Amino acid sequence: PEGYDSASVHVDIMSTNLPGPGQKYGHSFHSYLFEPWGVFPGVFDVAIDAEGRFEVSDLPAAEGRYTLRARSPGLAEAQQHVLDVEHMDFIELKLVPEGVIEGTVLFFETQIPVVNRRVSCRGRLHRNITRAHIGRTDEHGYYRIDGLASGTYEVTVGKDTYPPNHIAHAKTAVAVTSGSVTNSVDFELETGTIVTGRITDRETLTPIEGVLVVVQSPAGPRSASINGDLSDRDGCYAVRVPVGETQFY
């Protein structure tokens, strides 16, 4: 957009998936997982010139799958999935004014602000779930997540401990528009209740250890998870869930 300098734009390879011979899926690397720790700085960065042009060369595998990302302060992050490197010679990443999600997180019982708690959202891009965009609550329980493209997002509050002492349903289908703020996406963390169960083999009824049980908000099988637990040696699990309808898988 006008008024933005291309020098402020950062382009990088956000993720890769490199299959081995005869494999459909292979080893994945997601650069954003390492960003908070300063690991591999600049390894996957792509140089961009004054006209906003860039070139990615020497890719390690023609059959690999890549996700390119462009971002700049005040603009929505743009992504492009590249599935066929050999037959794609031009990619355009369009940056537009960012959308924002903001709200507050309080404890339900006391209405006290929840301080320094991670709040994250994920959207969808070409039927793929995007990376998490993250905000953090201040001393008033207020959070802000910026850099969002237009679309719908699921917003969740991070856990305080493992297992968590308080929990809340995810906010689903939160609409975001470029250049606008979606406010009052508020949460109230509650103690909820503990649900227990047991995982067994259907035929032998033998307990199964190490099965991940995930709790989701009732928006469907692809909705954001809000809690989970692994079954123990007796096949037992216990998870805290908020009051109301939830889904287990």
Side-chain angles (χ1 to χ4, degrees):
E2 292 185 8
Y4 288 89
D5 184 0
S6 62
S8 69
V9 178
H10 180 83
V11 177
D12 65 353
I13 300 176
M14 189 177 77
S15 65
T16 66
N17 185 285
L18 305 177
Q23 294 180 333
K24 182 178 181 181
Y25 302 103
H27 301 288
S28 295
F29 179 91
H30 301 278
S31 63
Y32 59 84
L33 296 178
F34 297 91
E35 288 171 359
W37 315 106
V39 180
F40 307 130
V43 170
F44 290 88
D45 291 353
V46 178
I48 181 172
D49 67 17
E51 301 298 324
R53 294 173 300 206
F54 63 89
E55 180 179 287
V56 183
S57 59
D58 298 325
L59 295 175
E63 296 181 357
R65 298 184 298 166
Y66 303 86
T67 301
L68 289 174
R69 170 179 61 174
R71 50 191 169 148
S72 181
L75 299 177
E77 182 178 285
Q79 298 178 20
Q80 175 68 52
H81 298 294
V82 182
L83 303 180
D84 188 355
V85 175
E86 290 184 314
H87 298 91
M88 180 175 287
D89 58 3
F90 183 80
I91 295 172
E92 187 173 41
L93 298 172
K94 293 184 177 181
L95 294 173
V96 298
E98 66 182 358
V100 174
I101 293 175
E102 64 179 19
T104 58
V105 184
L106 306 175
F107 289 110
F108 172 73
E109 291 86 355
T110 62
Q111 294 297 292
I112 294 175
V114 179
V115 179
N116 196 30
R117 186 68 62 87
R118 169 180 163 139
V119 182
S120 62
C121 71
R122 291 180 182 270
R124 292 190 178 276
L125 177 67
H126 309 308
R127 294 183 296 179
N128 294 295
I129 299 174
T130 66
R131 74 173 183 93
H133 294 262
I134 299 170
R136 191 166 289 276
T137 58
D138 63 14
E139 66 272 20
H140 304 293
Y142 166 81
Y143 73 91
R144 175 185 172 94
I145 305 175
D146 52 23
L148 304 177
S150 295
T152 58
Y153 293 81
E154 292 186 341
V155 189
T156 58
V157 179
K159 302 174 181 64
D160 53 348
T161 60
Y162 291 90
N165 295 317
H166 296 83
I167 199 165
H169 280 296
K171 301 290 186 180
T172 59
V174 177
V176 173
T177 303
S178 171
S180 299
V181 176
T182 302
N183 53 30
S184 299
V185 184
D186 302 327
F187 293 87
E188 292 188 339
L189 298 186
E190 57 181 282
T191 54
T193 188
I194 302 294
V195 174
T196 61
R198 192 163 181 255
I199 307 296
T200 60
D201 183 278
R202 178 179 295 180
E203 296 181 356
T204 66
L205 300 183
T206 302
I208 303 177
E209 182 180 3
V211 176
L212 176 62
V213 179
V214 176
V215 181
Q216 293 178 324
S217 293
R222 289 177 176 264
S223 64
S225 63
I226 56 176
N227 201 5
D229 190 28
L230 288 173
S231 59
D232 62 18
R233 61 185 300 178
D234 298 317
C236 297
Y237 68 88
V239 289
R240 187 180 300 277
V241 300
V243 174
E245 182 182 356
T246 55
Q247 292 187 346
F248 289 74
Y249 80 88

